[in-house]
mmCIF file of all heavy atoms in Angstrom:
data_model
loop_
_atom_site.group_PDB
_atom_site.id
_atom_site.type_symbol
_atom_site.label_atom_id
_atom_site.label_comp_id
_atom_site.label_asym_id
_atom_site.label_seq_id
_atom_site.Cartn_x
_atom_site.Cartn_y
_atom_site.Cartn_z
ATOM 1 N N ASN A 104 37.699 -37.572 -2.133
ATOM 2 C CA ASN A 104 37.977 -38.844 -1.463
ATOM 3 C C ASN A 104 39.040 -38.634 -0.386
ATOM 4 O O ASN A 104 39.558 -37.524 -0.208
ATOM 5 C CB ASN A 104 38.436 -39.912 -2.478
ATOM 6 C CG ASN A 104 39.578 -39.405 -3.356
ATOM 7 O OD1 ASN A 104 40.568 -38.878 -2.849
ATOM 8 N ND2 ASN A 104 39.436 -39.570 -4.668
ATOM 9 N N GLU A 125 61.657 -24.011 5.323
ATOM 10 C CA GLU A 125 63.033 -24.085 4.840
ATOM 11 C C GLU A 125 63.368 -22.899 3.936
ATOM 12 O O GLU A 125 64.471 -22.356 3.993
ATOM 13 C CB GLU A 125 63.226 -25.406 4.068
ATOM 14 C CG GLU A 125 64.662 -25.727 3.713
ATOM 15 C CD GLU A 125 65.478 -26.164 4.916
ATOM 16 O OE1 GLU A 125 64.900 -26.622 5.921
ATOM 17 O OE2 GLU A 125 66.717 -26.027 4.840
ATOM 18 N N ASN A 138 48.971 -14.014 -5.133
ATOM 19 C CA ASN A 138 47.930 -13.322 -5.896
ATOM 20 C C ASN A 138 46.875 -12.685 -4.997
ATOM 21 O O ASN A 138 45.770 -12.401 -5.442
ATOM 22 C CB ASN A 138 47.249 -14.297 -6.868
ATOM 23 C CG ASN A 138 46.468 -13.571 -7.948
ATOM 24 O OD1 ASN A 138 46.994 -12.708 -8.644
ATOM 25 N ND2 ASN A 138 45.190 -13.902 -8.087
ATOM 26 N N LEU A 152 30.740 9.728 2.706
ATOM 27 C CA LEU A 152 29.903 9.498 3.887
ATOM 28 C C LEU A 152 30.628 9.818 5.191
ATOM 29 O O LEU A 152 29.986 9.940 6.241
ATOM 30 C CB LEU A 152 29.433 8.038 3.910
ATOM 31 C CG LEU A 152 28.691 7.564 2.652
ATOM 32 C CD1 LEU A 152 28.414 6.069 2.737
ATOM 33 C CD2 LEU A 152 27.404 8.339 2.460
ATOM 34 N N PRO A 157 33.552 0.612 10.765
ATOM 35 C CA PRO A 157 34.045 -0.541 10.005
ATOM 36 C C PRO A 157 32.951 -1.428 9.419
ATOM 37 O O PRO A 157 33.087 -1.905 8.295
ATOM 38 C CB PRO A 157 34.899 -1.308 11.020
ATOM 39 C CG PRO A 157 34.420 -0.851 12.366
ATOM 40 C CD PRO A 157 33.982 0.564 12.182
ATOM 41 N N LYS A 262 50.884 26.575 -14.994
ATOM 42 C CA LYS A 262 50.634 26.876 -13.590
ATOM 43 C C LYS A 262 49.434 26.053 -13.150
ATOM 44 O O LYS A 262 48.363 26.133 -13.752
ATOM 45 C CB LYS A 262 50.353 28.361 -13.390
ATOM 46 C CG LYS A 262 49.976 28.735 -11.953
ATOM 47 C CD LYS A 262 49.610 30.202 -11.839
ATOM 48 C CE LYS A 262 49.115 30.557 -10.431
ATOM 49 N NZ LYS A 262 48.694 31.981 -10.325
ATOM 50 N N GLY A 267 42.223 21.765 -2.160
ATOM 51 C CA GLY A 267 41.873 20.639 -1.300
ATOM 52 C C GLY A 267 43.119 19.827 -1.017
ATOM 53 O O GLY A 267 43.580 19.072 -1.870
ATOM 54 N N LEU A 326 44.092 31.482 -8.682
ATOM 55 C CA LEU A 326 43.618 31.161 -10.025
ATOM 56 C C LEU A 326 44.039 32.168 -11.093
ATOM 57 O O LEU A 326 43.925 31.872 -12.288
ATOM 58 C CB LEU A 326 42.088 31.044 -10.017
ATOM 59 C CG LEU A 326 41.511 29.766 -9.409
ATOM 60 C CD1 LEU A 326 40.005 29.879 -9.254
ATOM 61 C CD2 LEU A 326 41.872 28.555 -10.263
ATOM 62 N N ILE A 333 42.719 21.886 -10.297
ATOM 63 C CA ILE A 333 42.434 20.520 -9.841
ATOM 64 C C ILE A 333 41.693 20.621 -8.518
ATOM 65 O O ILE A 333 42.254 21.072 -7.516
ATOM 66 C CB ILE A 333 43.724 19.699 -9.699
ATOM 67 C CG1 ILE A 333 44.358 19.503 -11.080
ATOM 68 C CG2 ILE A 333 43.441 18.356 -9.049
ATOM 69 C CD1 ILE A 333 45.742 18.925 -11.044
ATOM 70 N N GLY A 334 40.433 20.221 -8.518
ATOM 71 C CA GLY A 334 39.604 20.323 -7.329
ATOM 72 C C GLY A 334 39.423 18.990 -6.640
ATOM 73 O O GLY A 334 38.970 18.016 -7.249
ATOM 74 N N GLU A 347 37.104 32.154 -15.194
ATOM 75 C CA GLU A 347 37.484 33.188 -16.155
ATOM 76 C C GLU A 347 38.771 33.910 -15.758
ATOM 77 O O GLU A 347 39.407 34.552 -16.594
ATOM 78 C CB GLU A 347 36.331 34.191 -16.313
ATOM 79 C CG GLU A 347 35.138 33.600 -17.061
ATOM 80 C CD GLU A 347 33.944 34.534 -17.105
ATOM 81 O OE1 GLU A 347 33.844 35.409 -16.206
ATOM 82 O OE2 GLU A 347 33.103 34.386 -18.025
ATOM 83 N N ALA A 350 44.129 31.484 -17.364
ATOM 84 C CA ALA A 350 44.661 31.768 -18.696
ATOM 85 C C ALA A 350 43.842 31.034 -19.754
ATOM 86 O O ALA A 350 43.181 30.030 -19.464
ATOM 87 C CB ALA A 350 46.128 31.344 -18.763
ATOM 88 N N ASN A 360 33.147 14.797 -5.073
ATOM 89 C CA ASN A 360 32.036 13.873 -5.288
ATOM 90 C C ASN A 360 31.067 13.929 -4.113
ATOM 91 O O ASN A 360 31.501 14.066 -2.971
ATOM 92 C CB ASN A 360 32.565 12.437 -5.448
ATOM 93 C CG ASN A 360 32.605 11.986 -6.886
ATOM 94 O OD1 ASN A 360 31.779 12.421 -7.691
ATOM 95 N ND2 ASN A 360 33.556 11.133 -7.220
ATOM 96 N N ASP A 372 31.878 26.312 -22.567
ATOM 97 C CA ASP A 372 32.276 27.217 -23.651
ATOM 98 C C ASP A 372 33.557 27.984 -23.377
ATOM 99 O O ASP A 372 34.073 28.667 -24.273
ATOM 100 C CB ASP A 372 31.147 28.209 -23.941
ATOM 101 C CG ASP A 372 30.802 29.065 -22.712
ATOM 102 O OD1 ASP A 372 30.823 28.513 -21.599
ATOM 103 O OD2 ASP A 372 30.509 30.263 -22.868
ATOM 104 N N ARG A 381 32.619 12.016 -11.781
ATOM 105 C CA ARG A 381 31.300 11.418 -11.980
ATOM 106 C C ARG A 381 31.227 10.630 -13.279
ATOM 107 O O ARG A 381 31.876 10.959 -14.273
ATOM 108 C CB ARG A 381 30.232 12.512 -11.991
ATOM 109 C CG ARG A 381 30.016 13.163 -10.649
ATOM 110 C CD ARG A 381 29.130 14.374 -10.752
ATOM 111 N NE ARG A 381 27.836 14.099 -11.355
ATOM 112 C CZ ARG A 381 26.669 14.532 -10.871
ATOM 113 N NH1 ARG A 381 26.660 15.249 -9.759
ATOM 114 N NH2 ARG A 381 25.543 14.274 -11.485
ATOM 115 N N GLN A 387 35.648 10.952 -16.847
ATOM 116 C CA GLN A 387 35.588 10.605 -15.434
ATOM 117 C C GLN A 387 36.971 10.189 -14.937
ATOM 118 O O GLN A 387 37.577 9.251 -15.458
ATOM 119 C CB GLN A 387 34.600 9.471 -15.176
ATOM 120 C CG GLN A 387 34.482 9.119 -13.694
ATOM 121 C CD GLN A 387 33.704 7.841 -13.430
ATOM 122 O OE1 GLN A 387 33.541 7.010 -14.326
ATOM 123 N NE2 GLN A 387 33.227 7.668 -12.211
ATOM 124 N N ASP A 403 52.988 -9.681 -9.880
ATOM 125 C CA ASP A 403 53.672 -10.507 -10.874
ATOM 126 C C ASP A 403 55.188 -10.370 -10.809
ATOM 127 O O ASP A 403 55.924 -11.298 -11.168
ATOM 128 C CB ASP A 403 53.183 -10.162 -12.286
ATOM 129 C CG ASP A 403 51.793 -10.719 -12.570
ATOM 130 O OD1 ASP A 403 51.284 -11.501 -11.737
ATOM 131 O OD2 ASP A 403 51.202 -10.373 -13.614
ATOM 132 N N GLU A 411 57.441 6.024 -6.855
ATOM 133 C CA GLU A 411 56.928 7.121 -7.677
ATOM 134 C C GLU A 411 57.109 6.841 -9.166
ATOM 135 O O GLU A 411 56.244 7.175 -9.984
ATOM 136 C CB GLU A 411 57.635 8.431 -7.291
ATOM 137 C CG GLU A 411 56.805 9.673 -7.555
ATOM 138 C CD GLU A 411 55.559 9.764 -6.681
ATOM 139 O OE1 GLU A 411 55.505 9.106 -5.613
ATOM 140 O OE2 GLU A 411 54.633 10.495 -7.071
ATOM 141 N N MET A 413 56.967 3.956 -10.630
ATOM 142 C CA MET A 413 55.935 3.006 -11.028
ATOM 143 C C MET A 413 54.591 3.707 -11.201
ATOM 144 O O MET A 413 53.815 3.387 -12.103
ATOM 145 C CB MET A 413 55.845 1.877 -9.999
ATOM 146 C CG MET A 413 57.095 0.994 -9.970
ATOM 147 S SD MET A 413 57.260 -0.003 -8.465
ATOM 148 C CE MET A 413 55.966 -1.213 -8.706
ATOM 149 N N ARG A 458 63.548 -1.486 -13.473
ATOM 150 C CA ARG A 458 64.518 -0.400 -13.683
ATOM 151 C C ARG A 458 64.951 0.241 -12.369
ATOM 152 O O ARG A 458 66.106 0.646 -12.207
ATOM 153 C CB ARG A 458 63.887 0.639 -14.615
ATOM 154 C CG ARG A 458 64.829 1.728 -15.096
ATOM 155 C CD ARG A 458 64.200 2.551 -16.200
ATOM 156 N NE ARG A 458 62.978 3.225 -15.777
ATOM 157 C CZ ARG A 458 61.759 2.933 -16.213
ATOM 158 N NH1 ARG A 458 61.587 1.941 -17.077
ATOM 159 N NH2 ARG A 458 60.705 3.617 -15.787
ATOM 160 N N LYS A 464 61.396 -10.294 -8.571
ATOM 161 C CA LYS A 464 61.670 -11.304 -9.592
ATOM 162 C C LYS A 464 61.268 -10.737 -10.941
ATOM 163 O O LYS A 464 60.461 -9.802 -11.025
ATOM 164 C CB LYS A 464 60.924 -12.606 -9.321
ATOM 165 C CG LYS A 464 59.438 -12.586 -9.671
ATOM 166 C CD LYS A 464 58.903 -13.994 -9.817
ATOM 167 C CE LYS A 464 57.525 -13.973 -10.495
ATOM 168 N NZ LYS A 464 57.028 -15.291 -10.808
#
Side-chain angles (χ1 to χ4, degrees):
N104 51 50
E125 190 73 22
N138 197 53
L152 304 174
K262 176 184 175 183
L326 284 171
I333 294 170
E347 289 174 336
N360 258 329
D372 60 322
R381 291 171 56 134
Q387 182 190 19
D403 285 352
E411 207 66 21
M413 293 162 72
R458 188 169 61 248
K464 77 161 194 173

